[in-house]
């Protein structure tokens, strides 16, 4: 499979003595928040495959979608720009939207976080409603048609091809040292989970995977991850995935919003360990890991690899609720 070298690899695996004490496990952090500069995060590993495919197919323009402050949309916009590709983002908003047919009024868009970065690299932004987002694949296909020869990247870069980025990440983990009991990470569109489960089995990086859902529910993700796994298996020769559990008990009030308890824990990780987590993904995943240890789902003392998947611009866009 063709792959561009876009990520700064290997990302470090760092032992965190302070959070190990807080959580009661032997905690190691895979620093995939450091896969790059402004584009950093887990999406870069997927985009190495997806953007390679776009170039092979002769695309001049890529289309993708996400929430308004989507990390995936931002990573795609920055890397597309660097490769000389035009980029159109369909971003979900709660209020009035331009619709998939029109560019959004620039004055209606935030000047912070991911959207600031999208704007700086000149991405074309169209805002869509939650209903339009529910039909995102169709909506993106019709926008791509309208543009002509545009390459569509699914939500979160999560298809079989994108997931190969995390199969390779687990090879990297195994090459960096001993295997882990469990890999824990935030799950938002399922591609990271699918790749990690396949990669753990293929490369012996860990026995099992705990995916902490930040939206939707466990049944939705089990279906979605199974679909992505089967797509990946049709692209690459891989063994069946390692056991994976989706835990949807730490989603908080809703996507992008933390409970007071979750916010307090995010602050505690920052103050006590200097570990900066974001409110949309990694903060909920670390909170979910702590809850899983307290319930006994992850045994005390287990050798745990927490994948820090990035999200710093999302944190910086929520300064009003985090201070
Ligand atoms: C997208 C994202 C995730 C979730 O990864 P999926 O492959 O979409 O499930 C986790 N953390 C951060 C910071 C992300 O941007």
């Amino acid at each position: 499979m063709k792959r561009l070298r876009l990520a700064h690899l290997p990302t470090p695996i760092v032992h965190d003595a302070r959070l190990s004490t807080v959580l009661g496990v032997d905690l190691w952090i895979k620093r995939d928040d450091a896969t790059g500069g402004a584009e950093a995060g887990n999406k870069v590993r997927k985009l190495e495959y997806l953007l390679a495919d776009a170039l092979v197919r002769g695309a001049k323009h890529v289309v993708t979608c996400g929430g308004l402050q989507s990390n995936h949309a931002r990573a795609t916009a920055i890397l597309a720009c660097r490769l000389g590709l035009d980029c159109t983002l369909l971003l979900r908003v709660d209020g009035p939207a331009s619709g998939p047919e029109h560019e959004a009024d620039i004055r209606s868009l935030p000047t912070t976080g991911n959207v600031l970065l999208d704007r700086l690299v000149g991405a074309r932004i169209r805002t869509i409603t939650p209903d339009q987002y529910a039909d995102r694949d169709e909506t993106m296909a019709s926008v791509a048609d309208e543009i002509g020869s545009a390459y569509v990247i699914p939500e979160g870069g999560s298809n079989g091809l994108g997931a190969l980025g995390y199969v390779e990440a687990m090879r990297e983990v195994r090459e960096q040292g001993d295997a882990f009991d469990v890999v824990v990470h935030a799950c938002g569109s399922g591609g990271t989970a699918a790749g990690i489960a396949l990669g753990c089995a293929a490369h012996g990086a860990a026995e099992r995977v705990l995916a902490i859902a930040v939206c939707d529910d466990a049944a939705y993700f089990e279906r979605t991850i199974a679909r992505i796994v089967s797509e990946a298996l049709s692209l690459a020769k891989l063994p069946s995935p390692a056991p994976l559990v989706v835990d949807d008990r730490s989603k908080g009030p809703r996507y992008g919003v933390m409970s007071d308890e979750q916010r307090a824990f995010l602050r505690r990780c920052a103050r006590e360990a200097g570990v900066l987590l974001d409110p949309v993904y990694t903060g909920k995943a670390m909170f979910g890991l702590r809850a899983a240890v307290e319930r006994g789902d992850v045994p005390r003392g287990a050798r745990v690899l927490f994948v820090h998947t990035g999200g710093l611009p999302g944190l910086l866009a929520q300064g009003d609720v985090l201070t």
Side-chain angles (χ1 to χ4, degrees):
M1 217 54 60
K2 198 159 175 335
R3 172 184 176 194
L4 297 168
R5 297 296 170 144
L6 301 173
H8 302 176
L9 301 179
T11 58
I13 294 178
V14 182
H15 185 248
D16 200 299
R18 288 203 179 85
L19 283 187
S20 290
T21 306
V22 169
L23 297 174
V25 294
D26 182 24
L27 184 74
W28 297 77
I29 301 182
K30 176 70 169 163
R31 294 293 307 272
D32 272 13
D33 57 323
T35 53
E39 72 280 17
N42 62 336
K43 304 309 180 308
V44 182
R45 289 187 188 268
K46 304 180 189 184
L47 289 165
E48 288 194 336
Y49 288 89
L50 294 162
L51 290 171
D53 191 42
L55 292 180
V56 164
R57 289 169 194 267
K60 302 273 182 287
H61 200 133
V62 296
V63 175
T64 197
C65 68
L68 181 61
Q69 285 289 351
S70 164
N71 297 309
H72 163 69
R74 174 257 308 164
T76 304
I78 294 172
L79 294 173
C81 179
R82 214 168 286 163
L83 295 169
L85 296 164
D86 286 327
C87 177
T88 292
L89 305 176
L90 304 185
L91 302 181
R92 184 185 64 236
V93 292
D94 285 330
S98 67
E101 305 83 11
H102 303 289
E103 261 187 64
D105 180 352
I106 205 89
R107 289 164 303 181
S108 70
L109 295 171
T111 55
T112 56
N114 286 299
V115 182
L116 168 62
L117 302 175
D118 298 341
R119 290 173 62 167
L120 282 172
V121 295
R124 298 165 202 204
I125 298 175
R126 307 186 189 191
T127 49
I128 59 175
T129 64
D131 282 345
Q132 290 168 329
Y133 195 83
D135 295 325
R136 53 193 170 272
D137 289 336
E138 254 169 61
T139 310
M140 285 196 288
S142 74
V143 169
D145 254 11
E146 171 214 313
I147 294 167
S149 92
Y151 183 89
V152 175
I153 297 177
E155 175 193 53
S158 287
N159 58 15
L161 187 60
L164 297 182
Y166 269 89
V167 177
E168 281 307 302
M170 292 304 107
R171 179 204 300 278
E172 183 180 300
V173 165
R174 192 62 183 91
E175 285 170 359
Q176 286 174 292
D178 293 340
F180 291 87
D181 295 325
V182 58
V183 177
V184 180
H185 70 94
C187 179
S189 63
T192 301
I196 288 178
L198 285 165
C200 279
H203 304 299
E207 275 166 33
R208 60 193 187 95
V209 185
L210 178 61
I212 310 286
V214 303
C215 53
D216 298 293
D217 60 23
Y220 169 82
F221 279 119
E222 279 153 17
R223 270 198 315 279
T224 303
I225 293 165
R227 172 182 54 77
I228 300 168
V229 162
S230 72
E231 286 172 13
L233 289 173
S234 75
L235 296 171
K237 204 171 143 20
L238 293 166
S240 48
L244 174 141
V245 170
V246 180
D247 180 342
D248 62 6
R249 285 168 288 189
S250 292
K251 293 191 291 183
R254 61 189 166 89
Y255 177 73
V257 180
M258 293 190 120
S259 66
D260 291 342
E261 194 190 357
Q262 289 178 323
R263 258 193 301 270
F265 186 63
L266 180 149
R267 286 200 198 91
R268 182 173 176 201
C269 292
R271 281 179 173 243
E272 286 185 26
V275 172
L276 277 303
L277 302 168
D278 79 289
V280 185
Y281 295 98
T282 54
K284 288 180 178 177
M286 192 68 85
F287 183 89
L289 169 57
R290 185 181 64 165
V293 176
E294 280 168 0
R295 283 194 305 265
D297 292 352
V298 171
R300 288 197 180 271
R303 185 172 148 82
V304 176
L305 183 68
F306 180 88
V307 183
H308 193 320
T309 43
L312 180 61
L315 169 70
L316 300 179
Q318 287 204 23
D320 47 349
V321 293
L322 287 166
T323 45

